[in-house]
Amino acid sequence: MSGSAPLRLLLDGSSLVANWRWLAAQAPGAACGAAIKADGYGLGARDVVARLAQAGCADFFCATWAEAAALGELPGGARLAVLHGARAEDMDQARASRARPVLNSVEQVARWREAGGGPCDVMVDTGINRLGLGIEEAMGGALAGLRIDTLMSHLACADEPDHRLNAVQLTAFQALRQAIPAARYSLANSAGILLGPDYAFDLTRPGIALYGGVPVAAATGIRPVAAIEAQILQVRAVRAGDAVGYGATWQAPADTRIAILNLGYADGYMRLLAPGAFATAGDRVLPLVGRISMDLIAVDARNADVGEGDWLRLDFDLPRLSVRSGLSQYELLTGLNLRFERYWN
């Protein structure tokens, strides 16, 4: 790290590993993998893989072949599956790669078979109506002759434990397991793991919970992984009645010290976060004032001894921010961009 960026993403590797181990312990009869798409949910996929592989994770899932290539050589024994399958444009890379495609359509199955086949995974849609072969297609012989490592499906409503679709999808997947030979079967994502042992099958595929997201109230063992800090660019003296920021939406109720931080919506700190947002300097809380702009925010620094060059930590409690802003915990994490210098402990 150069140490020159005015934004820091502080990442707790021990919490990442603890989250994976806690999730694994919730389904002791299944292997526990890790979704690392979107560059490890914004935290850095290579760093995530290195830490989880050392802890014993052997199965990783990315979205595209570009993501697979960016990972480089995986640690010994680690396996990688590419969730979006194999387009015609991907076939040269897919055939040359150690990674397996997750075939999602009869067209992808035919393309893979015509290219000589090889081990693959298959996604069957059991109710989310996103990627995946239809149940009738999968049961009707479309997969005959494939060397399927992992047959999988994806839950649509696992973060709503009482939703009727969970049981519908489970029943459908149990029928698929009986009808279609594969080395392993996989249904549960982060929230799905908490639905109970029936959903675990042979392999679970947690994502958001690895990175500190809390998908359901039952995820009581999940620890925060990411914290964000921004540097103060300037401290201003604002007179009573003067406004701060675009639109003059906040006026100083008294003479006030305002700290301007190098952070904004271009960094993934979205305007929807503004109500109730705050930074901290030690045990002092500095409320955000005015609008979040592209590259800057302002906080009320009347009660803190801070100055230019100091670092403030922003509130980044994912469940709380999600409720307050209406943004999902996934959006909050993956929206953090490459302006942040990432520091793992």
Side-chain angles (χ1 to χ4, degrees):
M1 291 292 179
S2 69
S4 62
L7 291 172
R8 296 172 176 166
L9 187 56
L10 306 180
L11 301 167
D12 189 337
S14 62
S15 290
L16 173 76
V17 169
N19 290 343
W20 177 78
R21 288 177 172 154
W22 186 85
L23 290 160
Q26 308 314 300
C32 186
I36 55 167
K37 58 188 180 178
D39 196 24
Y41 285 51
L43 305 191
R46 284 192 177 196
D47 290 310
V48 169
V49 169
R51 284 159 177 78
L52 292 183
Q54 187 174 26
C57 183
D59 292 280
F60 297 93
F61 300 87
C62 65
T64 68
W65 291 98
E67 289 186 347
L71 286 170
E73 194 69 26
L74 294 180
R79 298 180 290 268
L80 179 66
V82 179
L83 292 165
H84 292 185
R87 305 170 303 158
E89 299 94 324
D90 299 322
M91 286 304 295
D92 288 345
Q93 183 181 349
R95 293 291 295 143
S97 176
R98 288 178 51 205
R100 303 183 310 276
V102 180
L103 304 178
N104 290 292
S105 66
V106 291
E107 292 81 8
Q108 289 191 0
V109 169
R111 188 178 299 124
W112 189 248
R113 186 182 283 120
E114 290 165 7
C120 62
D121 294 352
V122 172
M123 177 72 72
V124 180
D125 173 50
T126 55
I128 195 171
N129 279 303
R130 208 172 57 168
L131 290 178
L133 281 82
I135 293 174
E136 297 80 7
E137 293 171 328
M139 301 276 253
L143 304 179
L146 284 184
R147 295 166 56 192
I148 303 175
D149 181 290
T150 306
L151 184 77
M152 64 181 73
S153 190
H154 195 70
L155 293 164
C157 301
D159 57 351
E160 301 176 57
D162 297 326
H163 199 290
R164 59 173 291 278
L165 189 54
N166 293 322
V168 169
Q169 289 192 260
L170 175 61
T171 299
F173 194 69
Q174 288 169 330
L176 287 164
R177 183 184 188 184
Q178 295 301 314
I180 299 172
R184 302 183 296 178
Y185 300 85
S186 179
L187 178 62
N189 54 7
S190 292
I193 292 170
L194 281 306
L195 290 174
D198 288 347
Y199 289 80
F201 293 90
D202 302 304
L203 171 66
T204 61
R205 312 188 310 271
I208 188 66
L210 293 172
Y211 307 105
V214 181
V216 290
T220 55
I222 297 303
R223 303 181 189 176
V225 174
I228 59 176
E229 292 186 340
Q231 195 172 31
I232 297 175
L233 298 179
Q234 184 181 15
V235 175
R236 308 182 58 85
V238 176
R239 292 176 298 183
D242 283 355
V244 173
Y246 285 121
T249 58
W250 183 87
Q251 290 183 324
D255 289 350
T256 304
R257 294 175 74 247
I258 297 294
I260 308 300
L261 305 183
N262 196 112
L263 177 68
Y265 56 76
D267 307 301
Y269 197 77
M270 306 309 289
R271 291 177 64 176
L272 289 170
L273 299 176
F278 61 90
T280 57
D283 61 355
R284 299 299 179 94
V285 173
L286 289 67
L288 185 145
V289 297
R291 289 182 181 171
I292 294 170
S293 58
M294 182 181 292
D295 309 296
L296 299 170
I297 61 171
V299 297
D300 183 340
R302 277 178 289 180
N303 298 318
D305 182 17
V306 295
E308 179 181 340
D310 289 341
W311 291 84
L312 301 183
R313 182 164 296 197
L314 279 297
D315 173 34
F316 202 60
D317 182 285
L318 291 172
R320 182 168 64 235
L321 286 183
S322 179
V323 170
R324 199 172 74 208
S325 68
L327 297 170
S328 74
Q329 296 177 63
Y330 301 82
E331 291 172 281
L332 292 168
L333 270 181
T334 61
L336 300 176
N337 72 17
L338 293 177
R339 283 179 167 181
F340 286 88
E341 285 195 317
R342 286 157 169 77
Y343 293 85
W344 288 90
N345 67 8

